[in-house]
Each structure stands twice: as C-alpha cells, then as structure tokens.
Amino acid sequence: MAGQDPFLPGTARERPVRVFLVCGHRMERQALREMLAEEALEVAGATGSAAEALSAIPVLLPQLALVDTALRDGSWIRVCRRIWDASPAVPCLTLGSLGTREELRGSILAGARGHAVRMVRGGDLVRRIRAVAAGRDLFSAGEREAVLSELRLSQPSPALTSTERRILLDCARGCSDTQMTRSMGLARPAFEAALQRALGKLGYPAAPPLDGAWPAVLPA
C-alpha cells in the first residue's frame, strides 16, 4: 500500500508504546524524553545506571528498552542481555553514535532486536521503536551471519579461549544467558566472568559487576 511504513505491518505503528530509557547522559535522556513525548510515546522510566535499569524494568515491564551504547559504566551489552534474561517480553533497541561495525556487532551480541543511530533520530528512531515493540527483529539474517563468521575466524589479542568463543557464538545465534549456563554447565558467576573477558578481547570496555543491591524503581 502506498505510504505504508516499511518497518511495520498494518496499523501497528499507531499502537501506544511504553519505552524505558537507559542513557548515560542526563541531557540526552531529557532530549529523548521530549522527542518521544512529541511522538505520543510514553516514557515508563529513565536512568543512566545499569543497576537501576535492571531493578526497574522487571517491575515496570515496558514494551521496549532503549539502551544507549554510551552507557556511563560501559555495560550496555550485558545490560541488554540481563533485560532479556529477566524480562523476555521486553525487547531492546540499542542507540549508538555512528552505526559502526563494532556497534552493530555489539548490538547483535547483546541480543537486541535492532540498532538506531543517534545522529539520525526523529522519525527513523520512532519507526524503529514501534517496529521492535511490535515484535520485529530489524537485523537481517545476513547481518547475523556476518557476525558469526567474524567470530569463527577472528583472532583477537589476547586470543579467545574455546569457552569464550562458544559464548560469543551462542550470543550471536540468539541464545539467552540462562540457556547458555544450562547447556555449558557453568555457574552464573563463571559465565559472567567469561562473557566479560570475551567482550573485552573484542574491544568492548570492561564494566563493573551487575550483581548487588539494586536501587528501587525509578519514577517515570
């Protein structure tokens, strides 16, 4: 149909969407709040803290989590994976700076359903939010296969161990953390440590542990 949004089937783009923002910069969070409000999207909550996001999202259960790749503690990949593990019904859309290969690869490893570029916000970001909230996966099979091929062949320095490479490959294939710990027979702390080491070897910043006493739910 002429004029139909290519991201969305039927009238899905008209449905109200509740979004939780995980963004490390206060001014950026406010700008995103205002932009989403102008598009009649509801901001269920917002934070720059990984721990606060992981505390709030399982309670608030938004339709989508928008996770900034510039999250101040560097844990955006693990935050997306934890959200998916704790709240499988809440998909993640990552928001990056330039849409680089590293960002796209990280987003796929994070289990996100798509990636948006900060410099091209407005209508494009809103369309992607609505599409992911409606159940779409915006990554093509070719994009996922490219990440898998790279992980099979790459030799970062220091090199990946067999366990680390298996974890990354399973991440790219769409396995959850719980699925991997069960299939590999790993305790959660050992799995988390191996995932962190593997991500570090690919060049993603180290992040502090995500466990611990998490703050109460943030207000919208």
Side-chain angles (χ1 to χ4, degrees):
M1 181 182 297
Q4 187 175 29
D5 191 325
F7 280 121
L8 296 171
T11 60
R13 62 188 181 277
E14 299 172 0
R15 298 170 187 164
V17 176
R18 296 175 68 245
V19 180
F20 192 99
L21 303 177
V22 189
C23 177
H25 301 284
R26 183 178 58 82
M27 293 182 67
E28 178 76 6
R29 286 200 302 275
Q30 184 58 35
L32 285 168
R33 276 181 177 274
E34 293 171 359
M35 186 272 291
L36 296 179
E38 290 172 0
E39 297 290 341
L41 299 176
E42 179 185 348
V43 176
T47 183
S49 161
E52 290 173 348
L54 294 171
S55 175
I57 287 171
V59 177
L60 296 174
L61 290 178
Q63 290 167 269
L64 176 138
L66 182 63
V67 181
D68 189 0
T69 63
L71 194 61
R72 66 187 178 215
D73 56 13
S75 59
W76 63 278
I77 294 176
R78 290 163 63 221
V79 166
C80 288
R81 297 199 62 81
R82 282 288 189 88
I83 291 170
W84 178 21
D85 227 33
S87 308
V90 181
C92 289
L93 175 69
T94 54
L95 179 65
S97 299
L98 299 172
T100 62
R101 179 177 62 85
E102 289 75 16
E103 282 185 352
L104 293 173
R105 178 182 63 186
S107 185
I108 288 173
L109 291 174
R113 302 290 182 83
H115 184 70
V117 177
R118 183 176 287 102
M119 297 299 291
V120 189
R121 280 200 320 210
D124 181 72
L125 175 57
V126 171
R127 284 193 296 272
R128 289 174 184 273
I129 287 172
R130 292 190 183 279
V132 171
R136 289 281 305 279
D137 184 342
L138 302 184
F139 289 118
S140 68
E143 287 172 320
R144 293 187 180 279
E145 184 54 42
V147 171
L148 286 167
S149 296
E150 180 184 359
L151 292 173
R152 293 186 188 107
L153 300 173
S154 66
Q155 293 294 337
S157 181
L160 295 166
T161 67
S162 59
T163 296
E164 291 164 355
R165 191 181 300 275
R166 178 179 172 183
I167 287 173
L168 292 176
L169 286 168
D170 281 351
C171 285
R173 292 185 183 111
C175 297
S176 70
D177 291 358
T178 295
Q179 288 173 324
M180 285 186 281
T181 54
R182 289 175 178 170
S183 67
M184 299 176 72
L186 290 175
R188 182 57 69 110
F191 169 81
E192 289 280 352
L195 175 59
Q196 177 75 344
R197 288 194 304 270
L199 292 173
K201 290 177 181 180
L202 293 185
Y204 298 103
L210 299 182
D211 295 309
W214 292 339
V217 174
L218 295 180

